[in-house]
Amino acid sequence: MSAAASTFRPDIEGLRAIAVGGVVAFHFGMSNLPGGFIGVDIFFVISGFLITRHLMQEIGRSGTVDLWRFYGRRARRLLPASLLVIVATLIAGYFILAPPEQQLYAKGALFASSYVINLWLLRWSFDYFAADTANNPFLHFWSLSVEEQFYLLWPAFLLLVARFRPGERGVAVLLGVAAVASFAACAWMTTVSQPWAFYFSPLRAWEFAVGGLVSLTVADRWASGFRFAPVMGWAGLALIGATYLIVSEADPFPGFLALLPVIGTAMLLLSGARQSAVGPAALLSLAPFQWTGKLSYSLYLWHWPVIVYATILWPDLTLGGRLACLLVTVGLSVLSYRFVENPVRLSGWLSAGSARSLGLAALLTSLGVTLSYGAAQLAARSVDPDQRLIAESAARSSSARQIDTACVASLEQTEPRSCSLGALQPRKTIVLFGDSHADHWSTPLAKIAEANNWRVVTYLKSSCSVAAVPTWNVRLMRAYEECDAWRKSAMKEIADLKPDAVIVAQFSYSYVENDVNGDLDHLVTRDVWANGLRTSLAALSETGAEVVLLRDVPVHKSYLDRCVARSLWQGRSAAVCDTPRNQAIDERVSETEQAATSRLPGVRYVDLTELFCNETTCPAMIGGKLTFRDRHHIATPYAATLAGSMQRAIFGNQVAARWP
């Protein structure tokens, strides 16, 4: 067997620059590249191309692969810079993150050091695009773990294939079969459980396999003689550019959309086999692309912890601040490339024997794991009573979830499940209906029910609006059809129950256009929202029950549990986590909802905003208690203090119990 000639390809170095440039631009928010994250897919294809080409050459020369020598080269190339960034990130995190966060992310560092952080992220159901991932300084190591798992298994796979001597065309067929099988599984899993499709290396193997296919001599010879290879290359570059511009984190990715950057990269790699002054290789060979491509690995390693810590320290980071972060990233990358990455990779002493390189790998891996474990233990001892109280407040479940976590229906669930709180033989039955923003009100309602011999029956479903409007689920990455089915069935059960009152609460700011949480896609207009509200609330009022629509709670600019814990750790006041009222509340949404309910008989609109905000500010702490466990879910201990105020606002003189 043979493979393409082993020569330096400047176009590939330039392609690395495009890949890392997209990723950095996306994470730094410095350009309108919503699909910049697909730079990782470009890296996967390049890795498949280069590694397969190298291994096929070795098999062609000797009939086998020196696995230890191969693993030694990979270790010298990847591990020293990786460990440097892990250690630096842990040290910086000690001063920036609160101890509970340090504990969590030290575990991330441990799994990054052992090349399986992608599996750890799956274990904890981390969504790469979720807002809270912005705090995880080791998140970007997921792609490096996928690559390292590929490096571990791919040589053995090719060696096994070579033993059957199928010829290069036979190898191409086997690679093609592997690519199709992996892609089919990836496309299916994207619709079922997107994190698995995103993080699980076997479901990303097809991208490496595509790179391997275009590295084979048969593909190289075809491309070398293809007169339109330059045109194909420009088309591939255009395809990558279009993907950067049209794909976003709201799309179901990877799935079929990942074909765009993968095919575009394959076209570029093929076109580079034909030397041409008019092809994209001429552009990619320019000095800026070459310089950036050379630093691409270091840039990728450093950029994420830099922007994560910068946005934690300065939440309202300006464009100038992001440019400063870019300069810091470039400076750190140059230093680590010059003094760590290159010296170790080119070390003659280490290259002289596989055992030396593998010994280095074992040492660096052990050191990374040991330091990460030590950092987690140090963080555990640093948790003081105040920070423990904040963590416990954020972790405590609502009254409904304390009965059973299944009281809040999962995303895929369509059949309602009611849960009851309060008296078994009640004087009144109150229904609490809505999403997770209804759930957090179950705590004060449970206290009201207990004090008045009432029963509260909950109908709750995560991320599902009571308003009859089309919704898009960001986790499922598709239209939330399950919500429509669940809402219809729940409203039928509520009608059959014939309750005395129905209290409706929902995360309005995640469904309707607004200025406090408006960076989401697929939000409906306020007119559509008003019509959807009227439809659902009118149907509920026809049951004869009194219907109360609660105004949505404020949305804070930061996760309050983390922000307050950090402020305590850093010796600052919790007030630094307060949010100005005009940034936490969009009055236009409230006006829309009031107008929608004003003419509906038996429907009232109740505003409890005064429980969370004064005239200018929405505090993070009130009465020594954390107000919200994240940005917009009421912390259960604080919710428990709201029973009296909620009772007076909703039920007035209908109740026997009195509260201070």
Side-chain angles (χ1 to χ4, degrees):
M1 296 179 189
S2 61
S6 179
T7 56
F8 174 72
R9 289 269 300 266
D11 59 315
I12 294 179
E13 200 77 281
L15 191 53
R16 286 194 179 106
I18 289 177
V20 77
V23 172
V24 173
F26 173 75
H27 286 150
F28 278 42
M30 293 175 57
S31 66
N32 188 23
L33 289 181
F37 59 88
I38 63 98
V40 169
D41 300 82
I42 298 173
F43 278 126
F44 287 167
V45 179
I46 293 174
S47 292
F49 178 91
L50 293 175
I51 296 304
T52 304
R53 182 176 68 170
H54 170 78
L55 292 171
M56 291 295 290
Q57 287 173 346
E58 186 172 351
I59 292 172
R61 287 192 306 267
S62 63
T64 187
V65 172
D66 186 340
L67 293 177
W68 303 126
R69 186 164 172 265
F70 172 82
Y71 294 143
R73 282 198 305 269
R74 292 293 89 202
R76 294 197 309 273
R77 171 73 175 87
L78 300 174
L79 301 192
S82 175
L83 178 65
L84 173 64
V85 173
I86 288 172
V87 172
T89 303
L90 284 171
I91 293 172
Y94 177 81
F95 298 100
I96 297 173
L97 302 173
E101 290 178 293
Q102 294 174 34
Q103 281 183 278
L104 175 63
Y105 297 135
K107 293 178 183 178
L110 187 151
F111 286 106
S113 299
S114 51
Y115 330 122
V116 290
I117 192 173
N118 58 321
L119 304 180
W120 180 71
L121 292 170
L122 280 175
R123 167 66 177 82
W124 292 100
S125 300
F126 278 93
D127 179 355
Y128 181 80
F129 301 112
D132 57 349
T133 60
N135 294 286
N136 185 346
F138 298 100
L139 179 70
H140 65 315
F141 275 91
W142 77 268
S143 65
L144 301 179
S145 291
V146 169
E147 289 218 20
E148 285 155 348
Q149 291 158 22
F150 164 74
Y151 296 144
L152 179 65
L153 299 176
W154 200 248
F157 171 74
L158 290 180
L159 189 57
L160 180 64
V161 169
R163 291 293 169 87
F164 292 98
R165 301 184 182 279
E168 191 170 83
R169 292 184 184 276
V171 172
V173 171
L174 290 173
L175 286 178
V177 170
V180 170
S182 173
F183 172 74
C186 177
W188 173 74
M189 189 58 72
T190 300
T191 65
V192 175
S193 179
Q194 188 262 351
W196 275 88
F198 197 93
Y199 289 123
F200 194 42
S201 50
L203 302 185
R204 290 293 193 133
W206 67 275
E207 300 182 61
F208 296 95
V210 168
L213 279 169
V214 299
S215 76
L216 299 177
T217 300
V218 62
D220 186 77
R221 287 174 179 168
W222 172 83
S224 297
F226 184 45
R227 59 185 297 190
F228 295 110
V231 176
M232 178 176 64
W234 286 114
L237 189 60
L239 196 56
I240 290 173
T243 309
Y244 274 167
L245 293 171
I246 64 175
V247 174
S248 77
E249 56 197 276
D251 294 316
F253 195 89
F256 284 96
L257 286 175
L259 285 170
L260 301 178
V262 169
I263 292 174
T265 304
M267 292 167 69
L268 268 168
L269 291 171
L270 283 170
S271 73
R274 182 184 178 95
Q275 300 299 317
S276 172
V278 296
L283 172 66
L284 297 175
S285 298
L286 295 176
F289 288 99
Q290 295 299 294
W291 186 82
T292 305
K294 180 175 65 176
L295 288 177
S296 59
Y297 180 55
S298 289
L299 287 168
Y300 184 82
L301 285 173
W302 284 110
H303 86 283
W304 183 244
V306 167
I307 194 63
V308 164
Y309 287 153
T311 50
I312 286 174
L313 292 172
W314 302 284
D316 300 319
L317 200 62
T318 64
L319 177 59
R322 293 177 187 275
L323 286 172
C325 289
L326 180 60
L327 292 176
V328 170
T329 299
V330 172
L332 291 171
S333 300
V334 170
L335 290 173
S336 64
Y337 178 82
R338 172 67 178 83
F339 296 107
V340 177
E341 185 181 339
N342 235 19
V344 176
R345 179 171 63 92
L346 301 177
S347 169
W349 185 83
L350 287 171
S351 304
S354 299
R356 296 176 182 179
S357 295
L358 293 174
L360 174 69
L363 175 64
L364 294 179
T365 301
S366 300
L367 187 59
V369 169
T370 301
L371 290 174
S372 300
Y373 180 79
Q377 296 305 305
L378 177 62
R381 289 195 292 270
S382 300
V383 179
D384 63 25
D386 289 338
Q387 290 159 352
R388 189 171 291 110
L389 180 62
I390 294 298
E392 290 172 353
S393 295
R396 191 177 303 175
S397 298
S398 67
S399 293
R401 290 181 187 267
Q402 287 174 24
I403 295 175
D404 190 341
T405 56
C407 288
V408 181
S410 63
L411 298 182
E412 293 82 4
Q413 188 173 335
T414 58
E415 290 301 317
R417 174 177 176 176
S418 63
C419 291
S420 295
L421 304 90
L424 296 177
Q425 296 181 327
R427 294 190 303 110
K428 280 189 175 184
T429 295
I430 311 298
V431 164
L432 178 61
F433 184 30
D435 56 17
S436 61
H437 277 211
D439 172 49
H440 60 205
W441 288 113
S442 69
T443 299
L445 272 177
K447 294 190 67 174
I448 294 172
E450 182 180 356
N452 291 280
N453 195 32
W454 292 353
R455 177 176 62 151
V456 174
V457 180
T458 65
Y459 286 90
L460 308 169
K461 180 172 174 63
S462 179
S463 304
C464 182
S465 70
V466 172
V469 298
T471 55
W472 176 272
N473 191 276
V474 295
R475 290 192 175 272
L476 297 176
M477 297 290 183
R478 58 174 172 80
Y480 197 13
E481 298 173 355
E482 292 88 344
C483 175
D484 298 329
W486 179 88
R487 183 194 308 116
K488 182 178 179 180
S489 297
M491 291 180 69
K492 183 178 184 306
E493 289 193 15
I494 292 171
D496 293 340
L497 186 63
K498 301 187 185 306
D500 296 282
V502 178
I503 298 176
V504 174
Q506 56 199 332
F507 187 13
S508 302
Y509 294 130
S510 69
Y511 308 121
V512 61
E513 293 176 349
N514 64 89
D515 290 335
V516 299
N517 196 40
D519 56 346
L520 300 173
D521 291 326
H522 305 282
L523 298 177
V524 301
T525 64
R526 286 188 291 277
D527 287 341
V528 170
W529 182 246
N531 290 333
L533 269 179
R534 279 192 290 266
T535 298
S536 294
L537 296 178
L540 289 171
S541 68
E542 288 174 1
T543 66
E546 179 185 10
V547 179
V548 174
L549 174 63
L550 296 182
R551 181 179 182 175
D552 199 9
V553 296
V555 177
H556 281 265
K557 63 184 179 182
S558 61
Y559 285 71
L560 294 192
D561 58 329
R562 297 171 183 171
C563 184
V564 171
R566 288 176 199 145
S567 69
L568 292 173
W569 176 247
Q570 297 163 6
R572 299 187 296 166
S573 167
V576 300
C577 304
D578 297 350
T579 301
R581 181 181 175 120
N582 61 2
Q583 295 179 24
I585 296 172
D586 188 334
E587 297 292 350
R588 296 174 304 169
V589 174
S590 176
E591 292 166 0
T592 298
E593 293 178 342
Q594 289 185 71
T597 57
S598 61
R599 297 181 182 179
L600 291 176
V603 178
R604 287 191 295 129
Y605 187 74
V606 173
D607 185 352
L608 298 175
T609 304
E610 65 179 12
L611 302 179
F612 309 100
C613 306
N614 55 40
E615 293 182 356
T616 61
T617 306
C618 299
M621 302 282 289
I622 295 179
K625 294 185 180 295
L626 184 73
T627 53
F628 289 84
R629 60 181 170 86
D630 48 26
R631 292 180 62 211
H632 49 78
H633 290 98
I634 309 171
T636 297
Y638 182 67
T641 69
L642 306 180
S645 299
M646 187 179 190
Q647 176 177 288
R648 286 189 288 270
I650 297 178
F651 302 108
N653 296 324
Q654 302 176 40
V655 295
R658 291 292 176 262
W659 305 81

